[in-house]
Amino acid sequence: MTGTTAAHRELGNTGYEIFVGALSILSLVNLVLVVLLRDRATQTVVEAIDLLLSIVFLVDFAARLRRAPSRSGYFLRQFGWADLLASLPFPQVKVLRVFRLVRVIRLLRRYGAVNIGRSLLSDRAGSALFTVLFIGVLVLEFGSLGMLRLEHAQPAANITTASDALWYTIVTMSTVGYGDTYPVGNSARALGVGIIVVGVGIFGTLTGWLANFFLTPHRTQPTAETPATLREAQQRIDQMSQLLDQQRATLAELQALLRKRG
C-alpha cells in the first residue's frame, strides 16, 4: 500500500499523466514523420505541432519541478534534466522525450490498472477533457496534413501551404468558418466535415467540463489511500459531531421537562 500511495503522489492526476504520455508518443512519431515527408509544406505542419508540444512539455517540466518533494532529486535522479532538454525545440535533443514516456509508464505500472481505472472513473469530466484535447491535437496535425495531401492536385485549390492548412483546420474545429480558405475537392470536403464534427465534440466537452468544475462542489472523500492521520482526524470530527447531537437532544429534553413543571 505504501508503494501505491507514493506512486499516486508522484503520479498526480492520472488522466493528465496518460495525456502527457500520449503526447510523448506523438512527438516521437513526429521525429520520424519529418524524415519521411518530402514535401516542405507537410514538414512545416509537423514542425509547428512539435513546437506546440515543446511548450506543453516545458510547462509540464515546470509543474513537476514545483511539486517534487526534492527538486534536486527530481532533476538529477529522476531525469528532470532530460525533461528540460527534451522540452526545447531542437532536433538534437527531442529523442530525450523517451525518458518522459518511460517515467509515465513506470508510474502507471506502479499505481496499478485497478487504481488507474478507479481514478479515471472518479474524475470522468477531467478524463474526457484530456481525451478530447489529445484528439484535438491529432486532428489539428493530421487534418492539416490530409488537407494538403488531398488538395495539392486540385487546380483551383486555395489550401496550398502549411499556414493555409493549419488556419483552415483551426477555424473549422472552432466552428467559426471564415470562408477565406476552403477545400474544393470532394475528398477534402469530406475531411472538412469530419473536422467540424470533432470540433463540435471538443467544444461541447470543454463546456461540460467547465460547468462541472464551477457548479459541482468539490468534496474530498476518505479512501483507503488517505493517510492514517487524516482518517483519524475525520473519525474524531464525526465522534464530536455525534456528541454534540446527543448534547442537543439532552438539552431539548431538559427544556421540555422544565416547561412541564413550570
Side-chain angles (χ1 to χ4, degrees):
M1 181 66 68
T2 303
T4 302
T5 304
H8 181 260
R9 287 198 299 267
E10 187 180 354
L11 185 66
N13 184 282
T14 306
Y16 170 76
E17 293 293 349
I18 295 175
F19 172 69
V20 171
L23 291 182
S24 300
I25 295 174
L26 177 61
S27 67
L28 296 174
V29 171
N30 286 344
L31 293 179
V32 180
L33 287 179
V34 170
V35 177
L36 295 179
L37 295 174
R38 299 300 180 183
D39 183 63
R40 182 54 193 164
T42 54
Q43 289 179 340
T44 303
V45 169
V46 175
E47 291 170 355
I49 298 300
D50 192 76
L51 179 60
L52 174 63
L53 297 182
S54 297
I55 296 173
V56 174
F57 291 147
L58 186 60
V59 174
D60 175 69
F61 164 76
R64 291 182 190 277
L65 183 65
R66 184 175 181 272
R67 72 167 185 257
S70 172
R71 295 183 178 179
S72 61
Y74 162 69
F75 191 81
L76 298 175
R77 291 190 298 272
Q78 298 181 16
F79 301 103
W81 58 269
D83 288 345
L84 176 59
L85 291 177
S87 302
L88 303 178
F90 302 126
Q92 296 82 359
V93 295
K94 290 179 182 178
V95 71
L96 293 176
R97 292 174 183 177
V98 71
F99 285 97
R100 177 181 276 105
L101 178 60
V102 170
R103 182 178 59 253
V104 170
I105 294 175
R106 176 179 59 83
L107 289 174
L108 292 175
R109 289 182 63 183
R110 285 175 55 193
Y111 193 41
V114 175
N115 291 322
I116 290 173
R118 290 175 180 172
S119 178
L120 293 176
L121 288 175
S122 64
D123 186 23
R124 288 185 291 270
S127 302
L129 176 66
F130 288 120
T131 300
V132 297
L133 285 177
F134 180 67
I135 293 175
V137 174
L138 291 179
V139 172
L140 178 59
E141 177 175 346
F142 293 101
S144 300
L145 291 175
M147 195 61 63
L148 285 172
R149 177 66 179 175
L150 295 174
E151 288 287 278
H152 80 284
Q154 297 295 329
N158 58 80
I159 301 178
T160 57
T161 66
S163 176
D164 294 335
L166 288 169
W167 173 253
Y168 169 79
T169 305
I170 292 173
V171 169
T172 305
M173 285 178 61
S174 62
T175 68
V176 175
Y178 284 113
D180 52 347
T181 55
Y182 52 88
V184 296
N186 292 331
S187 299
R189 289 176 178 176
L191 177 59
V193 171
I195 294 174
I196 293 174
V197 172
V198 173
V200 171
I202 289 174
F203 282 91
T205 304
L206 179 61
T207 302
W209 181 83
L210 290 173
N212 178 78
F213 180 80
F214 287 108
L215 299 180
T216 302
H218 298 277
R219 298 177 181 177
T220 303
Q221 300 293 339
T223 63
E225 297 172 359
T226 305
T229 54
L230 181 57
R231 290 200 303 271
E232 291 175 359
Q234 291 174 340
Q235 291 174 358
R236 291 177 182 176
I237 292 173
D238 293 338
Q239 292 174 357
M240 292 176 63
S241 299
Q242 293 176 0
L243 290 174
L244 288 173
D245 292 338
Q246 293 175 0
Q247 290 178 357
R248 292 193 189 97
T250 303
L251 288 174
E253 292 177 357
L254 289 175
Q255 290 175 354
L257 288 174
L258 291 174
R259 284 197 296 269
K260 288 180 181 180
R261 292 181 178 179

